[in-house]
Amino acid sequence: MNENVYVPFLSKIQKVIRHTSIEYTFRMEYHGNVKPGQFFEVSMPKYGEAPISVSGIGEDYVDLTIRRVGKVTNEIFEKYEGNSLFLRGPYGNGFVVSDYAGSELVIVAGGTGVSPVRGVISYFGNHPEEHNGMTLIAGFKSDDDILFRKDFETWKKQMDVILTVDKGEPSPNRQVGLVTSFIPQLELKEVTSAKAIVVGPPAMMRFTTAALLERGFKENIWISQERKMCCGLGKCGHCRINDKYVCLDGPVFPYTVGKNLLD
C-alpha cells in the first residue's frame, strides 16, 4: 500500500475465476497484511472506482469477487484480460479469527455476502482444532447464482454445510428455502456461548440475527455493513450512520453496535 492513502497502486490480474455471468473473482497481485472482511477501492482511469470486499487471501495475492452492476465494474469485465487494475487499501475493520477461536461457530451468508466471510470459513475449515464445531448456512436466489462451487465441495468435508436456494426443485446437493428457516434446526452444544457471523443483504441480516437471538444466542454475533461506502477514508461522509463511518469503524461490527446503525 502506498504511503499516501489517496494514491492507488497498480496491481496485476493473476487469474480470473468466473462464477456466474455477472460475478467473477479477480485474483490480484498484492503483498501485505489484509484481513477477511476488509475491502479495496478498485479503479480504472476515466471510469471511477468501487469498493470491493476481500474474498480470499494468499501469500502474494488477494481475491476480489466483483459483480457487474455499474459503470466501473462493466469496464473491468470488458477489458480485464492480461491487464492490471488500480487498487487502494485495504481499508476498514475485518474479521479477526481469534475472536472465534475455541468457540462453536455459525456462519450465515446470503448471496455475495459469502465473499467477505470466505476467508474465515476457509481458515477454520483448515484448522478444525481451533473451533468447537462449525456450521455454514449459505443462501442464493437460484442454482445459477451460486458462487464458489469448488469451495463448497471442500467445506462440506470440513464442517456442517447447509447450501440453499430461495426456490427451485429439490436436489441432493442443496436445500430449498430461506437461510432463516434452517436456524431453528441447528444442533448446538451450548447455544448461549456459541458465536455467529451474519453477512448479506440488510433484510436478510435483520431477520437472521433475530432468528439467532430467538434460538438462544446471547448477542455473540458479528455483521458486515457494506452499504454506501465510497471513499474508504471517512472523508466523503456517504457511509456515516449516527456517529459511525462504515468504511472506518466497519464494515465489520459486533451486533451490539451494528444493531443501532439504522439509516
Side-chain angles (χ1 to χ4, degrees), residues 101-116:
S103 301
E104 212 171 350
L105 179 61
V106 175
I107 297 178
V108 188
T112 55
V114 177
S115 297

Side-chain angles (χ1 to χ4, degrees), residues 115-134:
S115 297
V117 80
R118 179 179 174 231
V120 180
I121 300 169
S122 295
Y123 178 84
F124 284 110
N126 293 326
H127 298 84
E129 73 282 359
E130 294 191 28
H131 64 76
N132 190 31
M134 186 170 177

Side-chain angles (χ1 to χ4, degrees), residues 174-225:
R174 49 95 181 121
Q175 306 279 355
V176 178
L178 300 178
V179 292
T180 49
S181 65
F182 299 95
I183 292 174
Q185 306 170 20
L186 289 174
E187 295 184 5
L188 300 171
K189 299 170 186 175
E190 181 51 65
V191 66
T192 57
S193 61
K195 297 181 179 180
I197 295 172
V198 180
V199 187
M204 170 265 175
M205 291 198 294
R206 182 169 66 254
F207 287 109
T208 299
T209 52
L212 289 169
L213 294 171
E214 185 175 346
R215 180 66 176 77
F217 278 74
K218 298 299 182 182
E219 295 194 336
N220 293 325
I221 302 169
W222 284 256
I223 64 173
S224 182
Q225 293 267 21

Side-chain angles (χ1 to χ4, degrees), residues 55-88:
S55 62
I57 302 168
E59 291 185 2
D60 63 347
Y61 71 85
V62 291
D63 285 344
L64 303 176
T65 301
I66 300 176
R67 172 181 278 183
R68 184 174 185 165
V69 293
K71 183 177 180 180
V72 179
T73 52
N74 282 343
E75 192 65 17
I76 290 172
F77 272 55
E78 289 293 336
K79 299 181 179 179
Y80 67 80
E81 290 187 14
N83 216 330
S84 298
L85 297 173
F86 283 99
L87 306 181
R88 287 195 291 117

